[in-house]
Amino acid sequence: MKNIKYLSAAFLLFALIMGNSGCSSSSGNNPGHEYMPDMAHSIAYEANHLQYYRPNTWESEENLRDFYVKPMLPVKGTIPRGYTGMSLAKDPSDAMEKSDFMAGTPMNGHVPYYYDDTEEERTRAMAEITENPYPITQKGLDKGKDLYEIYCGICHGDKGEGDGYIVRDDGGKYPAQPANLVSDEFIGASEGRFYHAVMHGKNVMGGYADKLSYEERWEVIHYIRSLQAKKTGTAYDPIPDPDAAFKSKFSDLLSATSHGGGHESGHGDAHGGDHGEVSGAVNPNVMRLENVFFATGSSQLKAVSRRELNVFAEVLADSGTNVEISGHTDNVGDAASNMSLSQDRAVAVRNYLISRGINASQITAKGYGDSRPVASNSTDEGRQQNRRTEFEILRH
Ligand code: HEC
């Protein structure tokens, strides 16, 4: 009994304190106060959720002032946290899909879309987006097919004719007619028409921006183009996989029966002296790294070079071959600085390969400056050919 009395007295006291001093209105210079305001109304700002934050609970709705906090949509074109990173990533080539790399998109493929969901913007997208940024690859077409059949086929039909099973009479309930994507109208339509439809949908069709990544959207579009090609009996062929091409060139080189005199009598000694003369002799042990690029006048490897170098590192590791990396310049500028630039560049390539796990003893690096041109230095095209990185298989 006693306990209950104490308890009720304590509760009364608490209620009194709360009643008298738990909250007070703001007025004049007094900002007012609340006891544990966070418990009364959450100050969490839900992203994209429109809800007024009320700093007190006794004000009537009409008196709520318009500076009360209101969550807002991100600024147009905002890229979500963690969605940039080509230059920030330690080694983007590890995290990146190879095709992303080719298209030069950020590592996870998040690319802002600047066309609104209106007819004018649809027209603008159709006029401005005229190219699929990804090359046609078999892998991409296969993935595009899977995605198309998951997301689009139920309405647009497996062949794109607008007769997916939810539309067809045999069990179909869908009320609207999906577009016939293999009709002349869509065969003639620009890439933007498809991309815009994927991003925003059209009328009853909802958008798929949140279901498909940037690359996946373009893979679906490639697949739709291949369905159109099938319809018209034209070709929509994948380009050969550049990695596979590199690997087969490398293995051809390795297995070449002609040892071409080997390293000792390679092109170096044959024409090392005749500075500036193009030699007709081709060293069968030499292969050019076609996609290795440097910043102008520097030995800084451009990120885009990593793709080929990674494949190169793979084949080097598999074959255990010893190679010499050689750097070459055109004959513009001072021969001595060309020599040192080409040396630095060859070393940069070597260091990169070592960073990819290749044994340092497997690779040497040497700069040849402008002493080994493969084309005439008197034309732009020739000079461009001459600025190059090669490797030579060192046979024993
Ligand atoms: C639930 C059914 C449905 C699904 C799933 C669907 N669509 Fe559609 N789609 C439609 C309908 C209906 C239309 C016709 C809209 C109109 O013109 O009013 C349409 C129209 C289109 C158009 C033509 C837009 C234009 O500019 O006229 C394209 C392109 C398109 N869809 C692509 C896709 C792709 C790609 C997918 C899969 C990622 C997809 N659709 C998934 C129902 C669907």
mmCIF file of all heavy atoms in Angstrom, residues 119 122 126 147-148 150-156 166-167 174-181 185-186 189 192-198 201-208 212 217 220-221 224, ligand 1:
data_model
loop_
_atom_site.group_PDB
_atom_site.id
_atom_site.type_symbol
_atom_site.label_atom_id
_atom_site.label_comp_id
_atom_site.label_asym_id
_atom_site.label_seq_id
_atom_site.Cartn_x
_atom_site.Cartn_y
_atom_site.Cartn_z
ATOM 1 N N GLU A 119 6.794 15.143 -73.913
ATOM 2 C CA GLU A 119 6.873 14.888 -75.354
ATOM 3 C C GLU A 119 8.013 15.663 -76.010
ATOM 4 O O GLU A 119 8.717 15.146 -76.868
ATOM 5 C CB GLU A 119 5.535 15.240 -76.037
ATOM 6 C CG GLU A 119 4.578 14.062 -76.142
ATOM 7 C CD GLU A 119 5.245 12.746 -76.526
ATOM 8 O OE1 GLU A 119 5.777 12.614 -77.652
ATOM 9 O OE2 GLU A 119 5.236 11.827 -75.675
ATOM 10 N N ARG A 122 11.157 13.947 -75.213
ATOM 11 C CA ARG A 122 11.257 12.704 -75.981
ATOM 12 C C ARG A 122 11.776 13.021 -77.385
ATOM 13 O O ARG A 122 12.676 12.357 -77.905
ATOM 14 C CB ARG A 122 9.883 12.029 -76.077
ATOM 15 C CG ARG A 122 9.857 10.802 -76.999
ATOM 16 C CD ARG A 122 8.443 10.261 -77.179
ATOM 17 N NE ARG A 122 7.859 9.919 -75.892
ATOM 18 C CZ ARG A 122 8.106 8.795 -75.248
ATOM 19 N NH1 ARG A 122 8.890 7.879 -75.783
ATOM 20 N NH2 ARG A 122 7.567 8.544 -74.078
ATOM 21 N N MET A 126 15.262 11.835 -79.057
ATOM 22 C CA MET A 126 15.299 11.102 -80.316
ATOM 23 C C MET A 126 16.261 11.757 -81.301
ATOM 24 O O MET A 126 16.954 11.082 -82.052
ATOM 25 C CB MET A 126 13.891 11.003 -80.917
ATOM 26 C CG MET A 126 13.124 9.889 -80.272
ATOM 27 S SD MET A 126 11.351 9.770 -80.566
ATOM 28 C CE MET A 126 10.961 10.850 -81.849
ATOM 29 N N LEU A 147 17.766 -9.994 -70.536
ATOM 30 C CA LEU A 147 17.079 -8.875 -69.896
ATOM 31 C C LEU A 147 15.784 -8.542 -70.632
ATOM 32 O O LEU A 147 14.757 -8.280 -70.026
ATOM 33 C CB LEU A 147 17.999 -7.641 -69.856
ATOM 34 C CG LEU A 147 19.239 -7.794 -68.973
ATOM 35 C CD1 LEU A 147 20.224 -6.660 -69.232
ATOM 36 C CD2 LEU A 147 18.852 -7.836 -67.500
ATOM 37 N N TYR A 148 15.863 -8.571 -71.945
ATOM 38 C CA TYR A 148 14.665 -8.279 -72.744
ATOM 39 C C TYR A 148 13.570 -9.289 -72.409
ATOM 40 O O TYR A 148 12.408 -8.929 -72.224
ATOM 41 C CB TYR A 148 14.997 -8.320 -74.238
ATOM 42 C CG TYR A 148 13.782 -8.113 -75.117
ATOM 43 C CD1 TYR A 148 13.385 -6.833 -75.479
ATOM 44 C CD2 TYR A 148 13.023 -9.200 -75.544
ATOM 45 C CE1 TYR A 148 12.248 -6.642 -76.258
ATOM 46 C CE2 TYR A 148 11.894 -9.024 -76.315
ATOM 47 C CZ TYR A 148 11.503 -7.748 -76.667
ATOM 48 O OH TYR A 148 10.371 -7.570 -77.421
ATOM 49 N N ILE A 150 13.191 -11.010 -69.745
ATOM 50 C CA ILE A 150 12.707 -10.835 -68.371
ATOM 51 C C ILE A 150 11.772 -9.623 -68.290
ATOM 52 O O ILE A 150 10.675 -9.702 -67.741
ATOM 53 C CB ILE A 150 13.884 -10.633 -67.392
ATOM 54 C CG1 ILE A 150 14.690 -11.924 -67.261
ATOM 55 C CG2 ILE A 150 13.388 -10.164 -66.022
ATOM 56 C CD1 ILE A 150 16.045 -11.741 -66.585
ATOM 57 N N TYR A 151 12.213 -8.503 -68.844
ATOM 58 C CA TYR A 151 11.504 -7.245 -68.596
ATOM 59 C C TYR A 151 10.529 -6.816 -69.687
ATOM 60 O O TYR A 151 9.574 -6.119 -69.416
ATOM 61 C CB TYR A 151 12.513 -6.105 -68.389
ATOM 62 C CG TYR A 151 13.297 -6.218 -67.117
ATOM 63 C CD1 TYR A 151 14.662 -6.469 -67.126
ATOM 64 C CD2 TYR A 151 12.660 -6.074 -65.880
ATOM 65 C CE1 TYR A 151 15.380 -6.569 -65.950
ATOM 66 C CE2 TYR A 151 13.371 -6.175 -64.691
ATOM 67 C CZ TYR A 151 14.733 -6.420 -64.732
ATOM 68 O OH TYR A 151 15.439 -6.521 -63.570
ATOM 69 N N CYS A 152 10.814 -7.152 -70.909
ATOM 70 C CA CYS A 152 10.057 -6.546 -72.000
ATOM 71 C C CYS A 152 9.189 -7.558 -72.741
ATOM 72 O O CYS A 152 8.111 -7.225 -73.237
ATOM 73 C CB CYS A 152 10.996 -5.886 -73.005
ATOM 74 S SG CYS A 152 12.422 -5.075 -72.249
ATOM 75 N N GLY A 153 9.692 -8.793 -72.835
ATOM 76 C CA GLY A 153 9.062 -9.808 -73.671
ATOM 77 C C GLY A 153 7.615 -10.092 -73.312
ATOM 78 O O GLY A 153 6.802 -10.351 -74.205
ATOM 79 N N ILE A 154 7.268 -10.011 -72.038
ATOM 80 C CA ILE A 154 5.882 -10.334 -71.654
ATOM 81 C C ILE A 154 4.893 -9.429 -72.374
ATOM 82 O O ILE A 154 3.769 -9.816 -72.612
ATOM 83 C CB ILE A 154 5.654 -10.246 -70.117
ATOM 84 C CG1 ILE A 154 6.194 -8.935 -69.568
ATOM 85 C CG2 ILE A 154 6.245 -11.441 -69.416
ATOM 86 C CD1 ILE A 154 5.592 -8.606 -68.211
ATOM 87 N N CYS A 155 5.276 -8.225 -72.698
ATOM 88 C CA CYS A 155 4.387 -7.324 -73.440
ATOM 89 C C CYS A 155 4.762 -7.241 -74.916
ATOM 90 O O CYS A 155 3.917 -7.334 -75.793
ATOM 91 C CB CYS A 155 4.422 -5.920 -72.855
ATOM 92 S SG CYS A 155 3.625 -5.813 -71.246
ATOM 93 N N HIS A 156 6.062 -7.011 -75.165
ATOM 94 C CA HIS A 156 6.467 -6.750 -76.547
ATOM 95 C C HIS A 156 6.686 -8.024 -77.345
ATOM 96 O O HIS A 156 6.892 -7.958 -78.557
ATOM 97 C CB HIS A 156 7.730 -5.881 -76.572
ATOM 98 C CG HIS A 156 7.465 -4.467 -76.148
ATOM 99 N ND1 HIS A 156 6.903 -3.538 -76.972
ATOM 100 C CD2 HIS A 156 7.644 -3.845 -74.952
ATOM 101 C CE1 HIS A 156 6.752 -2.379 -76.322
ATOM 102 N NE2 HIS A 156 7.197 -2.546 -75.092
ATOM 103 N N ILE A 166 1.078 -11.666 -72.125
ATOM 104 C CA ILE A 166 0.013 -11.035 -71.339
ATOM 105 C C ILE A 166 -0.914 -10.187 -72.215
ATOM 106 O O ILE A 166 -1.938 -9.709 -71.772
ATOM 107 C CB ILE A 166 0.525 -10.203 -70.137
ATOM 108 C CG1 ILE A 166 1.244 -8.925 -70.563
ATOM 109 C CG2 ILE A 166 1.412 -11.013 -69.217
ATOM 110 C CD1 ILE A 166 1.383 -7.943 -69.402
ATOM 111 N N VAL A 167 -0.531 -10.017 -73.469
ATOM 112 C CA VAL A 167 -1.363 -9.240 -74.392
ATOM 113 C C VAL A 167 -2.219 -10.168 -75.240
ATOM 114 O O VAL A 167 -3.337 -9.839 -75.642
ATOM 115 C CB VAL A 167 -0.470 -8.397 -75.334
ATOM 116 C CG1 VAL A 167 -1.315 -7.466 -76.179
ATOM 117 C CG2 VAL A 167 0.560 -7.615 -74.538
ATOM 118 N N TYR A 174 -3.783 -7.815 -70.609
ATOM 119 C CA TYR A 174 -3.237 -6.465 -70.682
ATOM 120 C C TYR A 174 -4.048 -5.621 -71.668
ATOM 121 O O TYR A 174 -4.244 -6.029 -72.812
ATOM 122 C CB TYR A 174 -1.770 -6.545 -71.110
ATOM 123 C CG TYR A 174 -0.994 -5.276 -70.919
ATOM 124 C CD1 TYR A 174 -0.752 -4.783 -69.641
ATOM 125 C CD2 TYR A 174 -0.485 -4.576 -72.012
ATOM 126 C CE1 TYR A 174 -0.025 -3.615 -69.466
ATOM 127 C CE2 TYR A 174 0.248 -3.420 -71.831
ATOM 128 C CZ TYR A 174 0.474 -2.942 -70.563
ATOM 129 O OH TYR A 174 1.192 -1.797 -70.391
ATOM 130 N N PRO A 175 -4.508 -4.461 -71.249
ATOM 131 C CA PRO A 175 -5.450 -3.703 -72.070
ATOM 132 C C PRO A 175 -4.827 -2.888 -73.207
ATOM 133 O O PRO A 175 -5.495 -2.605 -74.191
ATOM 134 C CB PRO A 175 -6.102 -2.753 -71.065
ATOM 135 C CG PRO A 175 -5.047 -2.545 -70.012
ATOM 136 C CD PRO A 175 -4.263 -3.817 -69.945
ATOM 137 N N ALA A 176 -3.560 -2.486 -73.076
ATOM 138 C CA ALA A 176 -2.989 -1.593 -74.098
ATOM 139 C C ALA A 176 -2.179 -2.387 -75.116
ATOM 140 O O ALA A 176 -1.719 -3.489 -74.825
ATOM 141 C CB ALA A 176 -2.113 -0.547 -73.445
ATOM 142 N N GLN A 177 -2.006 -1.833 -76.292
ATOM 143 C CA GLN A 177 -1.219 -2.503 -77.329
ATOM 144 C C GLN A 177 0.246 -2.058 -77.237
ATOM 145 O O GLN A 177 0.565 -0.925 -77.527
ATOM 146 C CB GLN A 177 -1.790 -2.159 -78.709
ATOM 147 C CG GLN A 177 -0.981 -2.732 -79.869
ATOM 148 C CD GLN A 177 -0.780 -4.242 -79.769
ATOM 149 O OE1 GLN A 177 -1.742 -5.006 -79.596
ATOM 150 N NE2 GLN A 177 0.472 -4.698 -79.848
ATOM 151 N N PRO A 178 1.131 -2.960 -76.824
ATOM 152 C CA PRO A 178 2.561 -2.582 -76.785
ATOM 153 C C PRO A 178 3.085 -2.327 -78.194
ATOM 154 O O PRO A 178 2.587 -2.910 -79.158
ATOM 155 C CB PRO A 178 3.238 -3.811 -76.168
ATOM 156 C CG PRO A 178 2.132 -4.602 -75.546
ATOM 157 C CD PRO A 178 0.925 -4.338 -76.365
ATOM 158 N N ALA A 179 4.053 -1.465 -78.287
ATOM 159 C CA ALA A 179 4.606 -1.115 -79.599
ATOM 160 C C ALA A 179 5.189 -2.342 -80.292
ATOM 161 O O ALA A 179 5.757 -3.220 -79.631
ATOM 162 C CB ALA A 179 5.686 -0.052 -79.425
ATOM 163 N N ASN A 180 5.029 -2.400 -81.594
ATOM 164 C CA ASN A 180 5.691 -3.426 -82.396
ATOM 165 C C ASN A 180 7.097 -2.923 -82.705
ATOM 166 O O ASN A 180 7.300 -2.088 -83.589
ATOM 167 C CB ASN A 180 4.900 -3.656 -83.685
ATOM 168 C CG ASN A 180 5.598 -4.648 -84.609
ATOM 169 O OD1 ASN A 180 6.736 -5.085 -84.325
ATOM 170 N ND2 ASN A 180 4.946 -5.006 -85.703
ATOM 171 N N LEU A 181 8.059 -3.418 -81.948
ATOM 172 C CA LEU A 181 9.414 -2.870 -82.016
ATOM 173 C C LEU A 181 10.158 -3.257 -83.289
ATOM 174 O O LEU A 181 11.224 -2.727 -83.565
ATOM 175 C CB LEU A 181 10.217 -3.305 -80.785
ATOM 176 C CG LEU A 181 9.620 -2.865 -79.430
ATOM 177 C CD1 LEU A 181 10.420 -3.454 -78.280
ATOM 178 C CD2 LEU A 181 9.559 -1.347 -79.319
ATOM 179 N N GLU A 185 8.475 1.627 -88.481
ATOM 180 C CA GLU A 185 8.585 2.847 -87.686
ATOM 181 C C GLU A 185 9.729 2.736 -86.673
ATOM 182 O O GLU A 185 10.527 3.667 -86.513
ATOM 183 C CB GLU A 185 7.258 3.090 -86.945
ATOM 184 C CG GLU A 185 7.278 4.361 -86.125
ATOM 185 C CD GLU A 185 5.995 4.556 -85.332
ATOM 186 O OE1 GLU A 185 5.059 3.727 -85.473
ATOM 187 O OE2 GLU A 185 5.943 5.524 -84.559
ATOM 188 N N PHE A 186 9.827 1.588 -86.022
ATOM 189 C CA PHE A 186 10.874 1.455 -85.004
ATOM 190 C C PHE A 186 12.223 1.046 -85.588
ATOM 191 O O PHE A 186 13.260 1.338 -85.013
ATOM 192 C CB PHE A 186 10.418 0.503 -83.886
ATOM 193 C CG PHE A 186 9.455 1.194 -82.975
ATOM 194 C CD1 PHE A 186 8.090 1.029 -83.115
ATOM 195 C CD2 PHE A 186 9.916 2.068 -81.993
ATOM 196 C CE1 PHE A 186 7.197 1.713 -82.311
ATOM 197 C CE2 PHE A 186 9.039 2.755 -81.187
ATOM 198 C CZ PHE A 186 7.670 2.581 -81.338
ATOM 199 N N ALA A 189 13.653 4.235 -86.239
ATOM 200 C CA ALA A 189 13.763 5.168 -85.105
ATOM 201 C C ALA A 189 15.199 5.248 -84.588
ATOM 202 O O ALA A 189 15.964 4.295 -84.687
ATOM 203 C CB ALA A 189 12.837 4.709 -83.983
ATOM 204 N N GLY A 192 17.717 7.105 -79.408
ATOM 205 C CA GLY A 192 17.097 7.898 -78.352
ATOM 206 C C GLY A 192 15.656 7.501 -78.079
ATOM 207 O O GLY A 192 15.181 7.578 -76.956
ATOM 208 N N ARG A 193 14.942 7.070 -79.103
ATOM 209 C CA ARG A 193 13.547 6.690 -78.897
ATOM 210 C C ARG A 193 13.449 5.489 -77.961
ATOM 211 O O ARG A 193 12.596 5.434 -77.082
ATOM 212 C CB ARG A 193 12.899 6.362 -80.242
ATOM 213 C CG ARG A 193 11.442 6.011 -80.085
ATOM 214 C CD ARG A 193 10.637 6.306 -81.319
ATOM 215 N NE ARG A 193 9.220 6.129 -81.054
ATOM 216 C CZ ARG A 193 8.283 6.142 -81.984
ATOM 217 N NH1 ARG A 193 8.623 6.339 -83.235
ATOM 218 N NH2 ARG A 193 7.028 5.963 -81.662
ATOM 219 N N PHE A 194 14.366 4.552 -78.138
ATOM 220 C CA PHE A 194 14.374 3.363 -77.290
ATOM 221 C C PHE A 194 14.865 3.715 -75.886
ATOM 222 O O PHE A 194 14.280 3.322 -74.893
ATOM 223 C CB PHE A 194 15.265 2.275 -77.909
ATOM 224 C CG PHE A 194 14.747 1.799 -79.228
ATOM 225 C CD1 PHE A 194 15.156 2.398 -80.410
ATOM 226 C CD2 PHE A 194 13.820 0.774 -79.281
ATOM 227 C CE1 PHE A 194 14.659 1.984 -81.627
ATOM 228 C CE2 PHE A 194 13.314 0.347 -80.496
ATOM 229 C CZ PHE A 194 13.739 0.956 -81.673
ATOM 230 N N TYR A 195 15.957 4.452 -75.857
ATOM 231 C CA TYR A 195 16.546 4.772 -74.544
ATOM 232 C C TYR A 195 15.559 5.574 -73.695
ATOM 233 O O TYR A 195 15.389 5.322 -72.508
ATOM 234 C CB TYR A 195 17.868 5.531 -74.722
ATOM 235 C CG TYR A 195 18.684 5.539 -73.440
ATOM 236 C CD1 TYR A 195 19.453 4.433 -73.092
ATOM 237 C CD2 TYR A 195 18.645 6.622 -72.576
ATOM 238 C CE1 TYR A 195 20.173 4.416 -71.919
ATOM 239 C CE2 TYR A 195 19.373 6.610 -71.389
ATOM 240 C CZ TYR A 195 20.136 5.507 -71.069
ATOM 241 O OH TYR A 195 20.848 5.489 -69.891
ATOM 242 N N HIS A 196 14.898 6.528 -74.339
ATOM 243 C CA HIS A 196 13.938 7.356 -73.607
ATOM 244 C C HIS A 196 12.783 6.490 -73.085
ATOM 245 O O HIS A 196 12.327 6.665 -71.946
ATOM 246 C CB HIS A 196 13.410 8.463 -74.514
ATOM 247 C CG HIS A 196 12.722 9.564 -73.768
ATOM 248 N ND1 HIS A 196 13.404 10.606 -73.198
ATOM 249 C CD2 HIS A 196 11.409 9.766 -73.467
ATOM 250 C CE1 HIS A 196 12.546 11.412 -72.596
ATOM 251 N NE2 HIS A 196 11.332 10.923 -72.743
ATOM 252 N N ALA A 197 12.316 5.546 -73.899
ATOM 253 C CA ALA A 197 11.229 4.666 -73.465
ATOM 254 C C ALA A 197 11.670 3.820 -72.277
ATOM 255 O O ALA A 197 10.907 3.593 -71.341
ATOM 256 C CB ALA A 197 10.781 3.770 -74.626
ATOM 257 N N VAL A 198 12.920 3.362 -72.306
ATOM 258 C CA VAL A 198 13.416 2.562 -71.184
ATOM 259 C C VAL A 198 13.504 3.432 -69.922
ATOM 260 O O VAL A 198 13.139 2.996 -68.829
ATOM 261 C CB VAL A 198 14.795 1.938 -71.510
ATOM 262 C CG1 VAL A 198 15.393 1.261 -70.288
ATOM 263 C CG2 VAL A 198 14.669 0.933 -72.645
ATOM 264 N N GLY A 201 9.482 5.165 -69.760
ATOM 265 C CA GLY A 201 8.287 4.450 -70.180
ATOM 266 C C GLY A 201 7.512 5.312 -71.169
ATOM 267 O O GLY A 201 8.000 6.344 -71.640
ATOM 268 N N LYS A 202 6.300 4.858 -71.505
ATOM 269 C CA LYS A 202 5.454 5.709 -72.348
ATOM 270 C C LYS A 202 4.000 5.384 -72.042
ATOM 271 O O LYS A 202 3.605 4.220 -72.102
ATOM 272 C CB LYS A 202 5.745 5.468 -73.827
ATOM 273 C CG LYS A 202 4.994 6.470 -74.680
ATOM 274 C CD LYS A 202 5.470 6.494 -76.118
ATOM 275 C CE LYS A 202 4.764 7.613 -76.855
ATOM 276 N NZ LYS A 202 4.292 7.188 -78.167
ATOM 277 N N ASN A 203 3.235 6.413 -71.734
ATOM 278 C CA ASN A 203 1.828 6.238 -71.347
ATOM 279 C C ASN A 203 1.705 5.120 -70.302
ATOM 280 O O ASN A 203 2.284 5.241 -69.236
ATOM 281 C CB ASN A 203 0.958 6.016 -72.572
ATOM 282 C CG ASN A 203 1.024 7.221 -73.508
ATOM 283 O OD1 ASN A 203 1.171 8.353 -73.047
ATOM 284 N ND2 ASN A 203 0.948 6.983 -74.793
ATOM 285 N N VAL A 204 0.997 4.026 -70.641
ATOM 286 C CA VAL A 204 0.809 2.986 -69.620
ATOM 287 C C VAL A 204 2.090 2.202 -69.319
ATOM 288 O O VAL A 204 2.196 1.572 -68.275
ATOM 289 C CB VAL A 204 -0.296 1.976 -70.007
ATOM 290 C CG1 VAL A 204 -1.650 2.618 -69.907
ATOM 291 C CG2 VAL A 204 -0.046 1.402 -71.385
ATOM 292 N N MET A 205 3.027 2.220 -70.237
ATOM 293 C CA MET A 205 4.269 1.484 -69.965
ATOM 294 C C MET A 205 5.122 2.272 -68.968
ATOM 295 O O MET A 205 5.386 3.451 -69.187
ATOM 296 C CB MET A 205 5.056 1.265 -71.260
ATOM 297 C CG MET A 205 6.399 0.605 -71.010
ATOM 298 S SD MET A 205 7.441 0.601 -72.495
ATOM 299 C CE MET A 205 9.062 0.722 -71.747
ATOM 300 N N GLY A 206 5.520 1.616 -67.901
ATOM 301 C CA GLY A 206 6.359 2.278 -66.900
ATOM 302 C C GLY A 206 7.818 2.278 -67.328
ATOM 303 O O GLY A 206 8.196 1.571 -68.262
ATOM 304 N N GLY A 207 8.643 3.096 -66.666
ATOM 305 C CA GLY A 207 10.066 3.169 -66.996
ATOM 306 C C GLY A 207 10.844 2.027 -66.359
ATOM 307 O O GLY A 207 10.381 1.373 -65.427
ATOM 308 N N TYR A 208 12.037 1.814 -66.874
ATOM 309 C CA TYR A 208 12.885 0.742 -66.347
ATOM 310 C C TYR A 208 14.237 1.264 -65.868
ATOM 311 O O TYR A 208 15.184 0.503 -65.729
ATOM 312 C CB TYR A 208 13.077 -0.340 -67.415
ATOM 313 C CG TYR A 208 11.829 -1.173 -67.577
ATOM 314 C CD1 TYR A 208 10.767 -0.723 -68.346
ATOM 315 C CD2 TYR A 208 11.679 -2.365 -66.882
ATOM 316 C CE1 TYR A 208 9.594 -1.443 -68.449
ATOM 317 C CE2 TYR A 208 10.515 -3.103 -66.982
ATOM 318 C CZ TYR A 208 9.476 -2.639 -67.761
ATOM 319 O OH TYR A 208 8.325 -3.356 -67.846
ATOM 320 N N LEU A 212 17.293 -1.455 -64.789
ATOM 321 C CA LEU A 212 18.416 -1.763 -65.678
ATOM 322 C C LEU A 212 19.516 -0.734 -65.482
ATOM 323 O O LEU A 212 19.235 0.465 -65.405
ATOM 324 C CB LEU A 212 17.951 -1.718 -67.142
ATOM 325 C CG LEU A 212 16.829 -2.689 -67.544
ATOM 326 C CD1 LEU A 212 16.290 -2.350 -68.927
ATOM 327 C CD2 LEU A 212 17.341 -4.122 -67.522
ATOM 328 N N ARG A 217 20.717 -1.216 -70.194
ATOM 329 C CA ARG A 217 19.733 -0.582 -71.087
ATOM 330 C C ARG A 217 20.217 -0.656 -72.527
ATOM 331 O O ARG A 217 19.460 -0.997 -73.434
ATOM 332 C CB ARG A 217 19.557 0.894 -70.704
ATOM 333 C CG ARG A 217 18.883 1.097 -69.376
ATOM 334 C CD ARG A 217 18.981 2.556 -68.925
ATOM 335 N NE ARG A 217 19.019 2.608 -67.484
ATOM 336 C CZ ARG A 217 19.677 3.524 -66.773
ATOM 337 N NH1 ARG A 217 20.355 4.478 -67.383
ATOM 338 N NH2 ARG A 217 19.653 3.485 -65.463
ATOM 339 N N VAL A 220 19.962 -4.135 -73.932
ATOM 340 C CA VAL A 220 18.594 -4.446 -74.370
ATOM 341 C C VAL A 220 18.343 -3.820 -75.736
ATOM 342 O O VAL A 220 17.767 -4.447 -76.628
ATOM 343 C CB VAL A 220 17.558 -3.942 -73.326
ATOM 344 C CG1 VAL A 220 16.151 -3.970 -73.894
ATOM 345 C CG2 VAL A 220 17.640 -4.778 -72.051
ATOM 346 N N ILE A 221 18.801 -2.590 -75.916
ATOM 347 C CA ILE A 221 18.585 -1.894 -77.197
ATOM 348 C C ILE A 221 19.343 -2.608 -78.328
ATOM 349 O O ILE A 221 18.802 -2.810 -79.418
ATOM 350 C CB ILE A 221 18.957 -0.402 -77.083
ATOM 351 C CG1 ILE A 221 17.983 0.268 -76.104
ATOM 352 C CG2 ILE A 221 18.922 0.281 -78.454
ATOM 353 C CD1 ILE A 221 18.359 1.671 -75.686
ATOM 354 N N ILE A 224 17.212 -5.481 -79.215
ATOM 355 C CA ILE A 224 16.050 -5.093 -80.034
ATOM 356 C C ILE A 224 16.489 -4.850 -81.482
ATOM 357 O O ILE A 224 15.825 -5.285 -82.426
ATOM 358 C CB ILE A 224 15.359 -3.835 -79.457
ATOM 359 C CG1 ILE A 224 14.727 -4.158 -78.101
ATOM 360 C CG2 ILE A 224 14.287 -3.305 -80.418
ATOM 361 C CD1 ILE A 224 14.195 -2.953 -77.345
HETATM 362 C C1 HEC B 1 3.615 -4.269 -69.150
HETATM 363 C C2 HEC B 1 3.814 -4.149 -70.579
HETATM 364 C C3 HEC B 1 5.100 -3.580 -71.105
HETATM 365 C C4 HEC B 1 6.368 -3.914 -70.747
HETATM 366 C C5 HEC B 1 6.797 -4.953 -69.727
HETATM 367 C C6 HEC B 1 7.254 -3.113 -71.565
HETATM 368 N N1 HEC B 1 6.546 -2.310 -72.382
HETATM 369 FE FE1 HEC B 1 7.278 -1.062 -73.792
HETATM 370 N N2 HEC B 1 5.422 -0.468 -74.256
HETATM 371 C C7 HEC B 1 4.257 -0.981 -73.703
HETATM 372 C C8 HEC B 1 3.133 -0.295 -74.291
HETATM 373 C C9 HEC B 1 1.684 -0.554 -73.967
HETATM 374 C C10 HEC B 1 3.670 0.638 -75.202
HETATM 375 C C11 HEC B 1 2.888 1.609 -76.067
HETATM 376 C C12 HEC B 1 2.832 2.911 -75.318
HETATM 377 C C13 HEC B 1 2.098 3.971 -76.133
HETATM 378 O O1 HEC B 1 2.570 4.258 -77.247
HETATM 379 O O2 HEC B 1 1.126 4.482 -75.630
HETATM 380 C C14 HEC B 1 5.096 0.493 -75.153
HETATM 381 C C15 HEC B 1 5.964 1.242 -75.927
HETATM 382 C C16 HEC B 1 7.316 1.008 -75.996
HETATM 383 C C17 HEC B 1 8.227 1.689 -76.893
HETATM 384 C C18 HEC B 1 7.847 2.744 -77.902
HETATM 385 C C19 HEC B 1 7.935 4.102 -77.288
HETATM 386 C C20 HEC B 1 7.665 5.170 -78.346
HETATM 387 O O3 HEC B 1 8.513 6.060 -78.473
HETATM 388 O O4 HEC B 1 6.638 5.111 -79.016
HETATM 389 C C21 HEC B 1 9.466 1.191 -76.677
HETATM 390 C C22 HEC B 1 10.735 1.582 -77.393
HETATM 391 C C23 HEC B 1 9.349 0.217 -75.621
HETATM 392 N N3 HEC B 1 8.025 0.130 -75.242
HETATM 393 C C24 HEC B 1 10.401 -0.509 -75.126
HETATM 394 C C25 HEC B 1 10.298 -1.359 -74.035
HETATM 395 C C26 HEC B 1 11.414 -2.023 -73.450
HETATM 396 C C27 HEC B 1 12.850 -1.908 -73.912
HETATM 397 C C28 HEC B 1 10.926 -2.757 -72.424
HETATM 398 C C29 HEC B 1 11.718 -3.592 -71.440
HETATM 399 C C30 HEC B 1 12.777 -2.958 -70.753
HETATM 400 C C31 HEC B 1 9.485 -2.565 -72.391
HETATM 401 N N4 HEC B 1 9.148 -1.707 -73.380
HETATM 402 C C32 HEC B 1 8.647 -3.184 -71.496
HETATM 403 C C33 HEC B 1 4.151 -1.963 -72.750
HETATM 404 C C34 HEC B 1 5.201 -2.552 -72.133
#
